[in-house]
Amino acid sequence: MTKILVIGAGRSATTLISYLLKHAEGHNWKITVADMDVKLAEQKVNGHLNGDAISFDIENEQKRQDVISSHDFIISMLPAFMHMPVALDCLALNKHLATASYVSQEMKSLHETAKQKKLLFLNECGLDPGIDHASAMKLIHEVENSGGKVISFKSYCGGLVAPESNTNPWGYKFSWNPRNVVLAGQSTAQYLQNGETKFIPYNRLFKQIETIEVTGFGKFDAYANRDSLSYIDVYGLDEIKTMLRGTLRQQNYCKAWHVFVQLGLTDDSAALTDLNLNTYEDLVKAFLPQSKGTLKERLANFIGADWDSEIEVMLDYLEILTKKPLILNKVSAAKHLQALLEEKWKLEKGDKDMIVMQHLFECLNSKGEKFKIVSSLVVKGDDPVNTAMSKTVGLPLAICVKNFLTGVFAEHGVVVPTTEKIYTPLLKELEAYGICFEETSINV
């Protein structure tokens, strides 16, 4: 029997766990779901005969190593900064590992040792990163195999709310870790545009945006991700002129979020200890220079020409300029903001989230003629638990773990899903779950 350990039973793990349990009996697997909240783990296992739920504290080194040592394949659904203790234990105890997170420099440094030990350390195998890699590499290889080359590649993805569940002016509800949303973009974005390296610092990120249109779903704001340049090498696009990866939000979201950035409300670096901070009105007032007028007038003057009625409506919805009480004490501005957003941007009963992804390619064919490829994906969730985010993060990881354990591919070391042996069966099975791209090729 192969024993699989899933560490973390949060929002994005639901579909992953369900898939593994569904296939457990047929492949003789035992699935252990480990979480600090054992009741949450028990809910995800749901009494399955091939499943088990345990309490798990990542900080308890001895128990962590004991649990890992008793399993064959480890899947970490923890936040990215928590992966390394698990990865180092896996390396020492000769266990395979999979995550949906970006490959950090620390993780990358384990490649040669993992490869020598014939261990798979699969990373970036969720939605973004993950499905984006697999779908992009499929198209890149098709262009190259026909004698052409890719000269421009832009890729965008967003975890949004479905139109029928869009009940607030921000067009956003949480379907994954709220902290990641609040802290998004705080590293300088870097990308390639027409052969020139470009940088966008955090203070301009949500202002310097593009508009992306997806047929049938309208237009979206798109802001640049932190590092697009490293994927030139990952995708083997040495001669490319434009390389950009970005995040999608509903239109107008970015200009309103930019207000929080300018104020400093997304800062997580220091706890605010002023005992006079009792309401959100107090919080905003504390971040504004002294001036006359109502709080809204002072904020509008501070923002300047960018202030408009749409921003006003979005801030009014949050009640952030009112005497709404702060529910936390002595925490950062970002944590105060997060607490408010978790109340206001909650998926309610019956709500559905939505994933939107789009790849935009500019290519030359074998005759040197230019053409474009537009590849778009839209996936809707079923309900607030079985979300599109959970499907698109969990399924790729679960499918690739199954494919490795059943011998479909046999790569070792620190790996991402950019090789044909990994992405071809992955994309094929994802189609069976309704996760498939619409592709259009246009001659220019």
Side-chain angles (χ1 to χ4, degrees), residues 128-366:
D128 175 9
I131 292 176
D132 56 344
H133 294 338
S135 54
M137 287 308 300
K138 168 185 171 289
L139 289 171
I140 291 168
H141 285 158
E142 286 176 358
V143 170
E144 292 174 345
N145 291 339
S146 66
K149 69 176 182 178
V150 176
I151 57 174
S152 173
F153 175 48
K154 296 181 177 181
S155 178
Y156 304 94
C157 183
L160 307 166
V161 62
E164 59 267 36
S165 301
N166 186 1
T167 57
N168 74 61
W170 288 81
Y172 194 83
K173 296 181 182 181
F174 288 121
S175 59
W176 66 307
N177 191 338
R179 176 177 170 81
N180 290 350
V181 176
V182 173
L183 301 183
Q186 297 198 15
S187 297
T188 297
Q190 47 188 323
Y191 61 99
L192 189 67
Q193 183 176 37
N194 297 323
E196 295 183 357
T197 301
K198 296 293 184 182
F199 302 102
I200 308 178
Y202 182 50
N203 66 320
R204 296 206 321 262
L205 187 65
F206 293 94
K207 186 174 176 62
Q208 194 172 326
I209 63 172
E210 294 185 276
T211 299
I212 300 301
E213 186 165 6
V214 177
T215 302
F217 292 90
K219 296 178 179 179
F220 299 89
D221 288 350
Y223 66 87
N225 287 356
R226 54 188 175 183
D227 178 19
S228 299
L229 298 177
S230 63
Y231 289 94
I232 295 173
D233 183 54
V234 172
Y235 291 169
L237 297 173
D238 296 339
E239 298 181 27
I240 200 163
K241 299 299 182 184
T242 296
M243 180 70 164
L244 173 65
R245 289 162 52 86
T247 296
L248 297 178
R249 291 288 183 261
Q250 294 286 0
Q251 278 201 301
N252 298 322
Y253 175 103
C254 285
K255 69 179 182 182
W257 191 262
H258 186 58
V259 172
F260 295 151
V261 175
Q262 288 177 282
L263 275 172
L265 294 184
T266 60
D267 181 28
D268 195 44
S269 64
L272 307 179
T273 57
D274 187 345
L275 297 178
N276 293 319
L277 288 180
N278 298 306
T279 68
Y280 279 95
E281 179 185 67
D282 295 335
L283 179 67
V284 173
K285 191 181 297 182
F287 275 89
L288 281 172
Q290 286 192 338
S291 60
K292 295 181 179 180
T294 66
L295 181 59
K296 187 179 289 185
E297 289 170 344
R298 291 173 61 189
L299 179 58
N301 289 334
F302 176 74
I303 299 302
D306 290 335
W307 181 268
D308 62 23
S309 60
E310 290 169 333
I311 292 175
E312 184 174 347
V313 168
M314 294 164 84
L315 295 184
D316 284 346
Y317 171 79
L318 295 179
E319 299 182 272
I320 199 167
L321 304 180
T322 72
K323 296 187 183 298
K324 185 177 181 64
L326 298 173
I327 62 174
L328 302 174
N329 293 312
K330 297 182 180 180
V331 299
S332 68
K335 286 186 172 67
H336 282 305
L337 179 60
Q338 180 182 328
L340 176 63
L341 297 181
E342 286 193 60
E343 174 193 336
K344 295 292 187 176
W345 289 354
K346 182 180 179 181
L347 285 171
E348 302 292 347
K349 184 178 180 180
D351 276 350
K352 297 179 180 180
D353 71 322
M354 179 174 72
I355 296 299
V356 178
M357 181 179 289
Q358 187 174 82
H359 301 316
L360 301 173
F361 291 91
E362 292 183 8
C363 312
L364 299 176
N365 64 20
S366 58

Side-chain angles (χ1 to χ4, degrees), residues 47-74:
H48 196 286
L49 292 176
N50 286 66
D52 192 18
I54 64 171
S55 177
F56 186 88
D57 181 0
I58 188 70
E59 301 294 338
N60 188 331
E61 183 177 353
Q62 187 58 58
K63 184 174 181 180
R64 185 184 72 227
Q65 293 174 353
D66 289 344
V67 172
I68 289 174
S69 68
S70 63
H71 291 79
D72 304 298
F73 201 116
I74 315 303

